[in-house]
Amino acid sequence: MACQMSFFWWALTYMTCTGEEEKLLTSAPSKHRQLGLLRRWRNPPVYRPLVELLTMEERHLIITYRFDRATIQELCTQLEPDLISPIRHPTGIPPDVQVLSVLHLLASGSFQTTVAMASGMSQPMFSNVLSRVLPALLKHVRSYIVFPQVEDLATVKGDFYALGHIPNFIGAIDGTHVALVPPRRSEQVYRNWKSYHSMNVQMVCLEDQYISQVNAMFPGSVHDAYILRNSSIPYVMGQLQRHRVWLLGDSGYPNLSWLLTPVRNPRTRAEERYNEAHGRTRRVI
């Protein structure tokens, strides 16, 4: 009898569906799941945001999210089509709040629960938001992280020359350790020389601190020089050598035909001046 009543209510519900709701029902694997989705569609949760992009001070945005208002608004506009599904009913969380909450997590390295509370949502809800925003961000990575092209080299070299008066630099390279909780089976691989667990992330940036290359494939125990050898940088710089351009690196890197490092134990005034100019130029990274 219970099964018959359940089927009756499902059939009655299905007959009263709109076209959009029929798409929703056909996407669910079972009748029970269909009814649950339909209830959420017809009675969506009401979300009252605790963060609003337009009312925040510019200084607070930069401290909390590491971007200014104009950049965040541009990012929200680009990601909005990926954050609102045309079939499933939206969570009720505006796209700008979804983006802000994920940027907060990435900028602070905090816990999901903490960021979710600050944004006015539950941790499971924030987890769903995170699973939508991160893939949406990755779709646009190659539009922003781009190594200088041949036609850009003259401008980039001029910008770097203004910093330390050393010609032909097109980027500064370094590694940074991003802390994490390591997998149990390979915990020791992620322990870096500072005795905490991390990923060793290689980055190259331009004079204005615009990131032009990222490699986040290696755990914290791996040395910067090893990451460089196993990245795409040697090949890319080899292709640009006929243009006589270089990268700047610290003393942890080898001195190569396309990578200039400081002089160890400088003995002359010229070597000291070179190290000073090198340091002024490499500060951007």
Side-chain angles (χ1 to χ4, degrees):
M1 184 66 179
C3 292
Q4 292 177 346
M5 290 297 295
S6 176
F7 177 79
F8 171 77
W9 283 112
W10 178 85
L12 183 62
T13 301
Y14 191 85
M15 286 188 295
T16 60
C17 285
T18 64
E20 196 69 25
E21 291 171 344
E22 286 184 14
K23 294 180 183 179
L24 184 70
L25 291 177
T26 55
S27 68
S30 65
K31 294 181 177 63
H32 178 75
R33 180 63 175 159
Q34 289 173 353
L35 288 173
L37 289 175
L38 192 59
R39 291 192 189 100
R40 291 182 60 192
W41 179 273
R42 292 180 173 178
N43 301 285
V46 178
Y47 174 74
R48 296 177 176 84
L50 296 181
V51 291
E52 294 186 7
L53 178 60
L54 298 179
T55 60
M56 292 186 186
E57 295 182 0
E58 193 78 14
R59 181 173 175 273
H60 176 73
L61 288 172
I62 294 174
I63 292 175
T64 307
Y65 307 106
R66 307 296 176 87
F67 291 107
D68 58 26
R69 192 186 316 278
T71 303
I72 296 176
Q73 287 177 326
E74 179 184 351
L75 196 59
C76 293
T77 301
Q78 288 190 341
L79 301 184
E80 184 173 1
D82 298 302
L83 303 183
I84 298 181
S85 171
I87 296 179
R88 292 173 182 249
H89 198 287
T91 61
I93 305 177
D96 60 328
V97 176
Q98 296 184 49
V99 173
L100 285 172
S101 61
V102 173
L103 289 181
H104 187 184
L105 179 74
L106 298 177
S108 65
S110 185
F111 295 99
Q112 288 192 23
T113 302
T114 305
V115 175
M117 290 177 62
S119 303
M121 63 183 81
S122 66
Q123 186 277 324
M125 184 180 291
F126 176 75
S127 181
N128 291 332
V129 168
L130 188 64
S131 66
R132 286 195 299 271
V133 176
L134 288 182
L137 283 170
L138 290 175
K139 287 174 59 176
H140 299 276
V141 163
R142 296 188 181 276
S143 300
Y144 291 95
I145 301 179
V146 182
F147 205 77
Q149 304 300 303
V150 173
E151 59 270 20
D152 304 322
L153 295 181
T155 301
V156 176
K157 289 190 292 185
D159 293 338
F160 268 106
Y161 183 80
L163 295 177
H165 298 286
I166 304 180
N168 297 339
F169 283 135
I170 62 168
I173 185 170
D174 203 356
T176 183
H177 288 273
V178 179
L180 51 69
V181 177
R184 291 183 179 179
R185 293 184 178 180
S186 53
E187 174 270 337
Q188 70 282 357
V189 177
Y190 291 86
R191 187 178 295 277
N192 60 37
W193 64 276
K194 296 182 179 180
S195 297
Y196 68 89
H197 301 100
S198 67
M199 294 292 292
N200 192 354
V201 180
Q202 173 185 280
M203 287 192 290
V204 179
C205 78
L206 305 182
E207 171 272 338
D208 57 359
Q209 299 183 323
Y210 188 98
I211 297 174
S212 59
Q213 194 270 350
V214 175
N215 187 322
M217 299 175 59
F218 294 90
S221 63
V222 179
H223 194 273
D224 289 352
Y226 180 88
I227 298 176
L228 175 63
R229 289 196 304 270
N230 290 274
S231 70
S232 61
I233 292 298
Y235 173 79
V236 173
M237 291 303 296
Q239 297 295 307
L240 295 175
Q241 276 306 281
R242 67 178 184 273
H243 299 285
R244 294 180 56 82
V245 293
W246 297 281
L247 295 179
L248 298 98
D250 61 20
S251 56
Y253 292 103
N255 201 37
L256 304 172
S257 60
W258 46 265
L259 176 61
L260 299 185
T261 60
V263 176
R264 294 178 181 270
N265 304 316
R267 299 179 179 179
T268 65
R269 179 54 186 158
E271 291 177 343
E272 292 176 352
R273 291 178 60 190
Y274 164 77
N275 280 358
E276 292 170 0
H278 187 284
R280 288 196 303 271
T281 308
R282 208 185 68 84
R283 279 186 305 187
V284 296
I285 193 67

